Amino acid sequence: MKKFMDDDFLLDYESSRILYHEYAKEMPIYDYHCHLSPEEIAENKQFRNLTEIWLNGDHYKWRAMRANGISEDLITGNASDKEKFDAWAKTMPSCIGNPLYHWTHLELKRYFNIDLPLSEKTGDEIWESCNHLLQQKDFSAQSIIKKSNVHVICTTDDPADSLAYHKEIRANERIETAVLPAFRPDKGIEITQQGFLRYIEKLSKAANIEIKGYQDLLKAFENRVDYFDEAGCRVSDHGFDHLFYEEAALEEVSAIFDKAIQGQSITLSEENKYKTYTLLHLGKLYHSHGWAMQLHIGAIRNNNSKMFEKIGPDAGFDSMNDFELAKPLNQFLSRLDRENELPKTILYNLNPAHNPIIASAVGNFQNEEARGKLQFGTGWWFNDQKDGMIRQMTDLASIGLISNFVGMVTDSRSFLSYTRHEYFRRILCNLIGGWVHKGEAPDDYELLGQMVQDICYNNAKTYFEITR
């Protein structure tokens, strides 16, 4: 029987252990998609306690606590930070089998040197020990990033954002990590969502363009892409509950936009035409700037209407969607590729049933512009756990080239989430090591070690071409 989460955690074979300890372990981190706060990085936030850095905003933990019968007051309510932490400690033993159990204990080990399993019995000791360390300067936001050996961070930013904190970070020579914005224009694409008109006004002010019609909107997006590019942005990001594709002429889309501005209802077909034209236009913009485009597909959000009205979005009430993906995805990529304006693209799916669809679609549009120009993105959200990562990487390897994979992202709001890269790397090395153990890959560690290091860091560095 192995010791709980020892040095060879998740490494079942000698070949896996060699690949992880000698090749993967010390590689830097390239976190090209996350939700960290640039304000907290710029101001080098010092966290008051473990609840603030660990539980606030973490809807993964919130879901687990609700499933364990914890009162909402102890999750997102007015309970004290200590009471919320105690509720999390009480929940932790019930999380065995959930990735939260491994993530939690990796974070305790790597950042706080704590080997105790978290529970009601150990909660007070862990609370006091971690809070003592969090008051020290080497536990500030910037210090944690440096300690985690993170070379690049791409946050998630609205086109109307001033990027003031990113500029402040970039001007700070003490911050060695490149912290750059990522362009997330969802609010300007979701034409039927509540708040669309208010957002158009906000975007209009940011771009200094009066948006009276659809072509004004396109110019405003172009303005903000240029602005983000000057701030070092090299990647966009989009989130869709399903993928759409319905072509229309500019005149028709302009009329649809006019209807929305006038407060008229929009049909599903009109919505799809507006979204398709707008996303195609943005894709061309990204290509012209050399950006990569990320598409996160398949989250059906805010399903608990009562809780959405009470505490708002991003609170742990989202799930996987099911829909037709193959045809609209290939149509969208083909349209851009036909005009030689398809940007580097990373596709993430939330429903694992879509894995083979994504893996096969990306192979249709590869070319000499970039090695692995189209990417099947890492296991995302409900899939960024052991089984989900193995499924994603196995499907990618079976249908495409895993050697060109740009690897893991944290997709997190927590500064302690960088241990997820360790988790991913151990799983990656065990997958490849298993192939060696079974005689399905040669025991050539120069070859396989380079492949592992490329997936952990080098491929992303080449793919995104980001410099500080």
Side-chain angles (χ1 to χ4, degrees):
M1 183 175 69
K2 293 181 66 176
K3 183 181 177 183
F4 173 58
M5 292 183 67
D6 64 4
D7 286 345
D8 293 332
F9 169 58
L10 296 176
L11 304 173
D12 297 331
Y13 314 104
E14 180 61 22
S15 47
S16 308
R17 293 187 279 273
I18 291 171
L19 288 172
Y20 178 72
H21 291 297
E22 297 185 19
Y23 294 94
K25 184 177 180 179
E26 301 301 328
M27 291 300 290
I29 289 173
Y30 205 112
D31 198 26
Y32 54 88
H33 173 67
C34 74
H35 298 275
L36 290 180
S37 164
E39 178 180 1
E40 291 179 350
I41 298 173
E43 296 180 351
N44 200 20
K45 183 178 177 67
Q46 197 85 38
F47 297 89
R48 65 179 181 269
N49 58 43
L50 197 52
T51 294
E52 185 179 28
I53 194 172
W54 224 20
L55 296 176
N56 287 1
D58 192 335
H59 55 82
Y60 287 79
K61 294 186 177 76
W62 295 353
R63 283 174 68 96
M65 293 165 77
R66 291 183 188 117
N68 206 41
I70 300 296
S71 165
E72 193 66 31
D73 187 56
L74 293 167
I75 303 172
T76 61
N78 295 320
S80 70
D81 285 350
K82 178 59 163 62
E83 289 171 324
K84 290 179 178 179
F85 173 79
D86 287 344
W88 174 236
K90 180 179 180 180
T91 300
M92 188 80 273
S94 298
C95 291
I96 291 176
N98 187 292
L100 284 165
Y101 199 78
H102 289 156
W103 295 348
T104 294
H105 291 103
L106 277 175
E107 290 165 10
L108 288 174
K109 280 173 174 281
R110 300 297 177 251
Y111 292 107
F112 303 104
N113 198 29
I114 291 175
D115 280 319
L116 287 174
L118 177 62
S119 67
E120 281 187 282
K121 292 180 181 179
T122 61
D124 287 346
E125 180 180 351
I126 290 172
W127 172 261
E128 294 298 331
S129 178
C130 292
N131 288 347
H132 172 72
L133 290 173
L134 285 170
Q135 305 314 306
Q136 299 178 15
K137 289 184 178 180
D138 59 353
F139 277 83
S140 67
Q142 293 175 18
S143 297
I144 292 171
I145 290 170
K146 185 173 182 178
K147 186 184 300 183
S148 303
N149 196 20
V150 185
H151 282 201
V152 173
I153 294 171
C154 296
T155 59
T156 303
D157 307 277
D158 190 277
D161 197 303
S162 71
L163 304 183
Y165 292 110
H166 287 91
K167 294 176 182 178
E168 187 176 331
I169 293 167
R170 203 171 186 181
N172 188 340
E173 295 181 356
R174 295 192 304 274
I175 301 177
E176 298 174 1
T177 303
V179 181
L180 303 173
F183 190 81
R184 181 77 177 242
D186 292 3
K187 292 178 182 178
I189 295 178
E190 295 294 341
I191 191 170
T192 61
Q193 292 296 308
Q194 189 175 22
F196 178 75
L197 297 183
R198 290 194 302 274
Y199 180 73
I200 294 302
E201 292 177 4
K202 183 178 180 181
L203 181 63
S204 178
K205 292 177 182 177
N208 197 27
I209 293 173
E210 187 177 3
I211 301 176
K212 292 183 176 181
Y214 183 62
Q215 293 192 62
D216 297 326
L217 174 67
L218 298 182
K219 289 178 183 177
F221 274 139
E222 292 168 11
N223 175 294
R224 299 312 288 173
V225 166
D226 289 342
Y227 184 81
F228 271 60
D229 191 75
E230 290 172 4
C233 178
R234 294 296 177 269
V235 61
S236 72
D237 186 37
H238 303 260
F240 299 113
D241 60 0
H242 69 284
L243 202 61
F244 40 82
Y245 190 82
E246 194 166 347
E247 291 194 17
L250 174 61
E251 294 74 18
E252 185 177 2
V253 179
S254 296
I256 294 168
F257 182 78
D258 289 343
K259 284 181 65 176
I261 292 296
Q262 295 162 14
Q264 299 178 33
S265 61
I266 303 296
T267 68
L268 178 59
S269 176
E270 289 173 331
E271 177 186 357
N272 287 338
K273 288 176 180 178
Y274 170 82
K275 287 182 174 180
T276 299
Y277 196 103
T278 305
L279 190 59
L280 286 169
H281 182 83
L282 288 168
K284 295 173 184 179
L285 275 178
Y286 305 151
H287 181 268
S288 70
H289 285 77
W291 289 10
M293 174 173 64
Q294 299 178 97
L295 302 181
H296 286 84
I297 306 167
I300 182 168
R301 300 175 187 269
N302 308 316
N303 298 289
N304 188 323
S305 57
K306 180 180 71 175
M307 294 304 291
F308 175 68
E309 292 171 4
K310 182 178 180 180
I311 55 180
D314 302 321
F317 301 102
D318 310 325
S319 57
M320 298 178 191
N321 199 2
D322 56 349
F323 52 93
E324 181 187 33
L325 176 61
K327 186 175 180 180
L329 175 60
N330 279 281
Q331 287 176 313
F332 172 71
L333 297 174
S334 180
R335 173 64 185 274
L336 288 171
D337 188 62
R338 186 170 68 242
E339 300 177 14
N340 296 317
E341 293 182 290
L342 176 63
K344 291 180 285 188
T345 302
I346 307 175
L347 302 169
Y348 307 86
N349 58 290
L350 196 57
N351 189 334
H354 292 145
N355 277 13
I357 292 172
I358 296 283
S360 60
V362 299
N364 294 334
F365 304 99
Q366 306 287 13
N367 61 37
E368 70 280 2
E369 284 186 22
R371 184 169 169 255
K373 177 181 174 179
L374 269 74
Q375 292 276 332
F376 177 12
T378 187
W380 166 50
W381 203 336
F382 295 112
N383 300 308
D384 61 352
Q385 32 78 11
K386 181 182 175 183
D387 292 339
M389 289 179 181
I390 292 171
R391 279 195 302 266
Q392 184 269 339
M393 288 190 281
T394 301
D395 288 338
L396 169 57
S398 298
I399 297 175
L401 298 179
I402 193 173
S403 56
N404 292 342
F405 181 30
V406 291
M408 175 67 173
V409 295
T410 62
D411 190 27
S412 175
R413 292 167 174 79
S414 172
F415 288 89
L416 300 182
S417 290
Y418 286 110
T419 53
R420 294 185 192 176
H421 281 262
E422 176 184 340
Y423 182 70
F424 166 83
R425 291 172 182 186
R426 288 176 179 272
I427 294 166
L428 167 68
C429 291
N430 200 57
L431 176 65
I432 298 173
W435 295 340
V436 175
H437 180 78
K438 298 168 189 173
E440 298 175 9
D443 59 345
D444 182 344
Y445 293 104
E446 183 177 355
L447 170 67
L448 298 179
Q450 184 64 59
M451 177 177 167
V452 163
Q453 290 183 334
D454 287 346
I455 294 170
C456 291
Y457 176 78
N458 296 329
N459 287 343
K461 182 179 180 181
T462 301
Y463 188 81
F464 294 103
E465 302 178 284
I466 287 174
T467 57
R468 174 149 163 69

